[in-house]
Amino acid sequence: MRFLTEYDRMYLRVAMPSAVEGVFMVLLSSVDIIMVGTLGLEAIAAVSIFTQPRMMLLCVTRSLASAVTLLTARFFGRGEHAPQVRVLCQSLTLGAVVLGFLHLVFYFHLEALLSWMGAEPQYLADALRYGNLALFGVFLTSLATLLQAGLMGQGRTALVLWINLWGNGVNCVVNALFIFGLGPFPALGVEGAAIGTVAGAAYMLFETARRLHGEIGFSKDAFLPDCAFFRSLLPIFGGVFSEQGFERIGMVLYTRMAAGLGEVPYAVHAIAMNFCDFYYCFAGGLGKASMVLAGQAYGRGDVGAWRAYGRAGLRWSMIFSTISFVLTYALREEIFWVYTDDAASLPLGMMVLAFVAVVSFPEAHALVCAGILRGTGCTNEVAAYSFVSVTFLRPVVTAFLLYVLGLGLMGVWLALAFDQSLRAVCSSVLVRRLWRKKCLPTGA
């Protein structure tokens, strides 16, 4: 038996650009943290505390984008082109209105929001200087994500990768110019990092819109949402948004408790979370591929292909998780020095990065299984176990380990490992139940 089947090759063709694209997308925040790390731990904390408001906004964006991707994948599986264009255009209109309103609300209440999330007085002013500008970058990123969702549903992950790769390049260059004040540019510190984020996001939006306009030719008549659009999109969006929303609530509570440990432990936690995001986003690309290919097979009603793509996703998630574990554990000291030269916090950083290595396995498995479930229309089931695990149990377990057992930052990461493992188990059980059936759920 050959190691690479035709389904493995197709899976990797879709998954690898998406996975690499996920890594480069997290660089939008990583580059900021690495570069501002030269300014000190306060600057790291100021940039990192904005992550949760950013993720709250992207929760809505990604939920809408996931619905667009799923619908596009099903239409693509049936060979229907016109409905794909309508879904993409109408989703962009809906997203621009809703997300524009939400970003304005966050802008006018950002100080209160950051304070509630645990920002300490010594770095709150820097966090506001960064966040007020970075919010505009989040809005531009949201619009680009919605446009790219249609490309994802068609399996054109390579094009998305190249657009976002260039966008990250723009971000890095502008970061360097404005953080450090190279040449004629002023040294703006954390504000310079925000300017880089806006520039990178603007490039991605412009290039994605340009490519799509050349291919499908946007028409103003296609942008007005109609009743058929809402009937098809809202059930999927509701399930995905519930899942994303539950996860975000849990993460906000979790981050708030971590921020309460103090400036140095929180800065170490932020470094570890940022590095953890690299593999999490890589594995998220594997999950997106599983969702797209399962959705295409679901649209065709092809049970055999659905199972084959599922096996491929689970197999490759284990392979990549093993590689991630070995590299992270072996190089954790070198990884920590990339972010900061604070020798006093190295032992704590080494301990937390060991947790990052271990959670590679459950997080990737859970993401691939969740992708299979979403592609098959089981978004509500994913939302249900996400609510129990990340919204309820993770904060409760974190509080117990912190305030009852007094485990400090170790307790924060033990709670994260517990949550990821529980989600991996729940998603595996649901996929196995579908696996045993002789046909896909109704609606294919």
Side-chain angles (χ1 to χ4, degrees):
M1 179 179 172
R2 291 181 302 173
F3 180 70
L4 284 178
T5 67
E6 62 175 301
Y7 294 104
D8 283 304
R9 287 192 291 271
M10 174 58 84
Y11 180 81
L12 291 174
R13 193 177 302 130
V14 175
M16 291 311 297
S18 182
V20 174
E21 182 261 334
V23 172
F24 279 106
M25 283 305 292
V26 80
L27 278 173
L28 284 172
S29 60
S30 302
V31 168
D32 290 348
I33 291 178
I34 291 171
M35 288 187 174
V36 301
T38 61
L39 306 176
L41 291 179
E42 274 190 17
I44 292 177
V47 172
S48 298
I49 200 68
F50 179 73
T51 299
Q52 290 311 314
R54 177 178 181 271
M55 294 302 293
M56 289 170 68
L57 290 165
L58 289 179
C59 169
V60 180
T61 301
R62 291 171 179 172
S63 300
L64 184 56
S66 293
V68 174
T69 299
L70 281 170
L71 290 173
T72 302
R74 293 176 188 175
F75 290 132
F76 184 82
R78 298 175 188 141
E80 300 173 2
H81 175 72
Q84 297 176 49
V85 177
R86 287 198 301 272
V87 165
L88 178 61
C89 293
Q90 293 176 17
S91 298
L92 183 62
T93 301
L94 178 65
V97 173
V98 173
L99 292 167
F101 172 76
L102 290 176
H103 280 74
L104 285 174
V105 171
F106 273 56
Y107 178 82
F108 289 113
H109 297 89
L110 187 59
E111 182 175 0
L113 192 59
L114 292 175
S115 298
W116 182 82
M117 288 183 174
E120 297 187 354
Q122 58 265 37
Y123 62 81
L124 178 59
D126 280 344
L128 284 171
R129 281 195 293 271
Y130 175 81
N132 284 328
L133 282 172
L135 270 173
F136 183 58
V138 177
F139 179 67
L140 298 179
T141 299
S142 297
L143 297 182
T145 300
L146 290 177
L147 288 175
Q148 291 173 0
L151 297 173
M152 293 289 297
Q154 296 173 356
R156 299 178 62 190
T157 51
L159 176 57
V160 176
L161 164 64
W162 283 111
I163 291 173
N164 292 336
L165 178 61
W166 280 101
N168 275 277
V170 172
N171 179 46
C172 291
V173 171
V174 177
N175 263 351
L177 294 175
F178 285 98
I179 291 176
F180 307 120
L182 302 180
F185 299 94
L188 299 178
V190 294
E191 286 180 292
I195 293 172
T197 300
V198 172
Y203 173 84
M204 288 187 288
L205 175 60
F206 170 78
E207 185 61 17
T208 305
R210 186 184 72 83
R211 292 291 190 98
L212 282 171
H213 180 67
E215 292 182 13
I216 67 176
F218 292 129
S219 169
K220 63 180 181 180
D221 297 331
F223 283 91
L224 185 63
D226 54 28
C227 293
F229 164 75
F230 285 111
R231 281 197 301 269
S232 61
L233 181 125
L234 289 181
I236 301 173
F237 171 80
V240 177
F241 179 70
S242 297
E243 174 203 345
Q244 295 276 333
F246 293 152
E247 181 173 354
R248 197 47 36 208
I249 291 169
M251 282 301 297
V252 167
L253 296 173
Y254 174 78
T255 301
R256 195 168 188 271
M257 285 185 274
L261 294 173
E263 180 183 325
V264 173
Y266 178 66
V268 172
H269 172 75
I271 288 170
M273 285 295 290
N274 185 262
F275 183 75
C276 185
D277 281 346
F278 278 101
Y279 186 65
Y280 184 84
C281 290
F282 181 92
L286 304 181
K288 287 179 184 177
S290 293
M291 179 179 72
V292 168
L293 293 171
Q296 291 179 2
Y298 179 74
R300 296 190 302 269
D302 189 341
V303 181
W306 181 88
R307 288 176 176 162
Y309 287 130
R311 291 189 195 98
L314 293 171
R315 179 164 56 252
W316 285 101
S317 75
M318 179 59 68
I319 292 171
F320 287 123
S321 294
T322 302
I323 296 171
S324 174
F325 168 79
V326 171
L327 292 178
T328 302
Y329 190 84
L331 300 175
R332 60 195 190 281
E333 182 175 353
E334 290 79 3
I335 291 167
F336 190 77
W337 289 132
V338 170
Y339 286 89
T340 180
D341 57 1
D342 184 33
S345 57
L346 176 62
L348 189 60
M350 292 273 286
M351 180 271 293
V352 175
L353 285 170
F355 277 98
V356 173
V358 172
V359 300
S360 299
F361 292 100
E363 71 182 3
H365 186 86
L367 286 166
V368 169
C369 287
I372 296 170
L373 292 168
R374 291 191 197 102
T376 318
C378 301
T379 55
N380 290 331
E381 288 83 346
V382 179
Y385 72 68
S386 296
F387 170 75
V388 173
S389 182
V390 71
T391 309
F392 177 68
L393 289 179
R394 185 194 280 200
V396 169
V397 172
T398 303
F400 176 77
L401 295 174
L402 280 181
Y403 307 132
V404 177
L405 299 185
L407 295 181
L409 196 54
M410 179 185 290
V412 170
W413 279 83
L414 281 171
L416 183 145
F418 169 79
D419 166 49
Q420 294 286 2
S421 299
L422 182 59
R423 281 192 272 177
V425 170
C426 292
S427 59
S428 294
V429 170
L430 291 172
V431 168
R432 187 166 293 276
R433 285 181 181 175
L434 288 174
W435 215 285
R436 289 198 296 262
K437 295 180 180 180
K438 294 183 179 180
C439 61
L440 294 172
T442 56

